[in-house]
Amino acid sequence: MASKSFSEEDLSCPVCCEIFKDPLILSCSHSICKVCLQKFWESKGSRECPVCRRSSSKELPPVNLALKNLCESFSVEKIQRSSAGSEVLCSQHGEKLKLFCLEDQQLVCFVCRDSAKHRNHRFQPVDEAAVEFKENLKMKLKPLQETLKIFKDVKLTWNQTAEKIQIQTQHTERRIKEEFQKLHQFLHDEEAARIAALREEEEQKSQMMTEKMEKMSREISSLSDTVRAIEEEMGAEDVSFLQNYRTTITRTQCRLEHPERLSGALIHVEKHLENLKFTVWEKMQEIIHYTPVTLNPITAHPQLVLSEDLTSVRLSDERQKLPDNPERFNNTTSVLGSEGFNSGTHCWDVDVGENTRWVLGVMTESAEIKGAVYRKSGIWYMCYYDGKYYAGSTPKPATLLSVNRKLQKIRVMLDWDGGKLSFSDAVNNTHLHTHTHTFTERVFPYFSTVCELSPLRILPVKVRVSVEHQS
């Protein structure tokens, strides 16, 4: 038959690695089991080939009839070969192997059963022994099958993670280019402004020099005419000279102001070049913002949406398709800061605005992120819900705070060495609550919200450029 030219591997589905069942052929010419393809598309959320990732234009690809017939023929031949091979004869006595020796774990014939080699051994008919041992093997196979499923699921997750890495790289590269474009534009505008100022000074001083040169030229011309006229009189006859002497001597009495020495005529190069890099850097404060804490997107619950600059977080009504990596919250709509602290004093202000339910605080590095985090230790916090303010540390219940006004901005101050975590009203610097605890490990800023109306926004701090004079 035609199937004899194919191996079992040739006729196996690339997804389940079994002989094809109802193979469907995609537009890219790859064939996949119908059930395997449907499961793959459901998990991916898009119609693409599991082998080459090319998109499929058809919602239900056609059946590969040739391959289906080939697989069915191959399966029939496999069964027939198995059946024919079951009638194996005893190599010693030429009899059919109808019994199975339980002690020696081997097939025997009736003659073997009565031989001295198998004396006092227990036997079972082949069909009974096969059923019993298949059941035993089935039990041992089950953990392997479960492990195989786990491995396949993990591989699928890893494939999704690999795709997410590519998306993250493209997105981050775009953001880097945008940020540098802003810096390039600022430097370009600053360069243009400084060159314009230089050109303006050049034009003013060049105009001044032109006016002075023109005046000087007129005076030189007038003086030249006077000198020439006097020289001509001096060369005249004595009588004529003496007749015009009074007029000539009057001409010599013209007095011109001595040309002034030009002060400040040159370009003030120092004004344009003095500490150029520093002054530009100082001016960059207008476009540069520094936020003491930024959010870590790989920790964010799939229902949280972070801003492009990673300084604000809001709740979405839809759950994003994100890898369930070990660092990501999967039960509580929370996110951690990108930098942890294990020493020093740190402070950050959060604009809670009209957010109706939020939690701010710190979380230890070893605290469990998965599951219900408030039932486990490792978080010190202040929160707001149902119009009231609370403070607490997990897993203990929170205590009510006596705050009789609506807070807009919360200041969180961590004194790691001093063992204090304080909360205050950032608008008027009024103290709200302080947790005391001896911290022994790194802690990360913690944010949580279940409100879609208003985001939590970490506020930037003012950047100052200073010069230190050495004595």
Side-chain angles (χ1 to χ4, degrees):
M1 296 179 68
S3 62
K4 289 182 179 179
S5 60
F6 293 91
S7 67
E8 186 169 342
E9 183 179 353
D10 296 328
L11 303 178
S12 296
C13 170
V15 176
C16 65
C17 300
E18 303 290 341
I19 299 296
F20 282 106
K21 295 176 182 177
D22 296 326
L24 303 181
I25 186 167
L26 301 176
S27 56
C28 58
S29 300
H30 289 117
S31 294
I32 313 293
C33 289
K34 181 179 180 180
V35 174
C36 295
L37 185 63
Q38 290 175 343
K39 289 182 177 179
F40 182 79
W41 282 0
E42 288 174 1
S43 66
K44 288 289 292 181
S46 60
R47 296 196 298 269
E48 59 181 47
C49 175
V51 179
C52 65
R53 305 295 183 182
R54 186 180 299 177
S55 297
S56 174
S57 58
K58 296 180 180 179
E59 185 174 355
L60 184 61
V63 177
N64 190 338
L65 291 175
L67 181 59
K68 181 180 180 182
N69 294 334
L70 200 60
C71 291
E72 290 176 352
S73 299
F74 184 85
S75 298
V76 170
E77 288 184 11
K78 185 177 179 181
I79 293 172
Q80 290 175 347
R81 289 196 299 271
S82 178
S83 299
S86 63
E87 296 294 333
V88 181
L89 301 179
C90 177
S91 59
Q92 290 184 330
H93 308 105
E95 298 289 336
K96 291 182 179 180
L97 300 172
K98 295 289 187 177
L99 300 174
F100 186 77
C101 177
L102 299 176
E103 274 73 11
D104 294 333
Q105 297 280 294
Q106 66 179 49
L107 289 166
V108 297
C109 66
F110 288 110
V111 179
C112 291
R113 179 192 61 182
D114 299 330
S115 66
K117 181 180 177 181
H118 295 282
R119 185 174 298 160
N120 298 325
H121 287 187
R122 293 178 301 116
F123 301 91
Q124 271 187 308
V126 169
D127 54 351
E128 292 182 12
V131 171
E132 182 179 329
F133 281 92
K134 282 181 180 179
E135 283 297 322
N136 181 49
L137 193 58
K138 184 178 180 181
M139 294 298 295
K140 294 184 180 297
L141 180 62
K142 188 175 180 181
L144 297 178
Q145 292 173 328
E146 292 173 350
T147 302
L148 178 61
K149 184 180 183 304
I150 292 173
F151 273 68
K152 287 183 177 180
D153 291 342
V154 170
K155 183 183 178 183
L156 180 60
T157 302
W158 287 0
N159 286 337
Q160 295 172 345
T161 302
E163 293 175 1
K164 182 64 176 177
I165 290 172
Q166 298 301 317
I167 295 172
Q168 283 182 307
T169 301
Q170 295 170 5
H171 173 76
T172 306
E173 181 178 341
R174 177 178 62 80
R175 289 289 297 132
I176 290 173
K177 289 182 177 179
E178 289 175 358
E179 291 301 314
F180 271 95
Q181 182 59 39
K182 293 176 184 177
L183 294 175
H184 294 160
Q185 188 62 48
F186 171 83
L187 292 175
H188 180 270
D189 294 343
E190 188 66 18
E191 177 188 7
R194 289 175 177 273
I195 290 178
L198 173 64
R199 297 299 184 197
E200 183 180 358
E201 183 180 358
E202 177 199 24
E203 184 177 354
Q204 291 174 352
K205 296 194 171 178
S206 295
Q207 179 66 28
M208 179 193 70
M209 290 303 300
T210 299
E211 293 174 357
K212 288 185 177 295
M213 292 290 287
E214 289 175 352
K215 180 181 178 182
M216 178 67 72
S217 296
R218 289 193 300 270
E219 292 176 344
I220 289 174
S221 177
S222 175
L223 189 58
S224 296
D225 292 342
T226 299
V227 170
R228 189 182 308 109
I230 294 174
E231 288 176 345
E232 288 177 356
E233 287 296 329
M234 291 177 64
E237 294 291 336
D238 293 344
V239 173
S240 176
F241 169 75
L242 292 174
Q243 286 178 336
N244 297 324
Y245 176 73
R246 182 177 294 180
T247 302
T248 303
I249 200 66
T250 302
R251 287 186 172 184
T252 64
Q253 294 175 355
C254 70
R255 291 289 182 267
L256 297 177
E257 293 182 6
H258 195 277
E260 63 184 30
R261 297 181 65 182
L262 295 178
S263 176
L266 296 178
I267 295 293
H268 287 293
V269 176
E270 77 290 348
K271 182 179 70 175
H272 300 284
L273 295 181
E274 184 179 17
N275 294 316
L276 178 60
K277 295 185 182 69
F278 177 82
T279 53
V280 172
W281 176 43
E282 191 176 30
K283 193 174 180 180
M284 287 181 78
Q285 295 176 80
E286 299 173 7
I287 66 166
I288 292 177
H289 303 285
Y290 174 76
T291 308
V293 170
T294 54
L295 304 174
N296 187 350
I298 67 173
T299 66
H301 184 277
Q303 213 169 332
L304 292 182
V305 178
L306 308 186
S307 60
E308 290 281 353
D309 60 0
L310 305 178
T311 61
S312 72
V313 55
R314 64 177 178 84
L315 185 73
S316 171
D317 57 354
E318 295 183 0
R319 190 183 182 96
Q320 304 172 84
K321 292 183 178 179
L322 298 173
D324 186 21
N325 46 290
E327 304 90 348
R328 190 180 304 282
F329 289 94
N330 64 349
N331 181 273
T332 307
T333 51
S334 307
V335 61
L336 295 179
S338 58
E339 181 183 0
F341 310 117
N342 59 0
S343 64
T345 301
H346 310 274
C347 179
W348 57 96
D349 292 348
V350 182
D351 185 351
V352 296
E354 300 305 317
N355 195 295
T356 57
R357 190 162 183 174
W358 49 261
V359 183
L360 302 176
V362 297
M363 184 177 190
T364 59
E365 188 171 25
S366 64
E368 181 59 51
I369 279 182
K370 301 298 185 183
V373 297
Y374 295 112
R375 295 179 182 176
K376 304 163 187 175
S377 61
I379 303 178
W380 293 263
Y381 63 90
M382 175 180 172
C383 63
Y384 175 73
Y385 63 90
D386 293 340
K388 297 179 181 180
Y389 297 91
Y390 300 84
S393 60
T394 59
K396 300 175 183 178
T399 57
L400 180 66
L401 300 179
S402 57
V403 180
N404 53 12
R405 63 188 181 281
K406 182 72 167 63
L407 302 176
Q408 294 292 320
K409 298 176 182 178
I410 306 297
R411 176 163 296 157
V412 185
M413 180 170 286
L414 169 68
D415 181 359
W416 194 95
D417 299 311
K420 293 181 181 180
L421 177 68
S422 301
F423 299 91
S424 59
D425 184 348
V427 176
N428 54 24
N429 203 27
T430 304
H431 176 262
L432 299 171
H433 184 77
T434 296
H435 291 291
T436 57
H437 176 78
T438 302
F439 297 106
T440 58
E441 60 177 303
R442 189 184 304 273
V443 295
F444 289 83
Y446 176 84
F447 307 83
S448 182
T449 178
V450 290
C451 172
E452 298 179 21
L453 299 176
S454 178
L456 298 178
R457 187 166 63 93
I458 305 166
L459 298 175
V461 297
K462 191 169 184 179
V463 178
R464 291 185 178 88
V465 176
S466 61
V467 178
E468 182 179 344
H469 295 281
Q470 295 183 353
S471 59

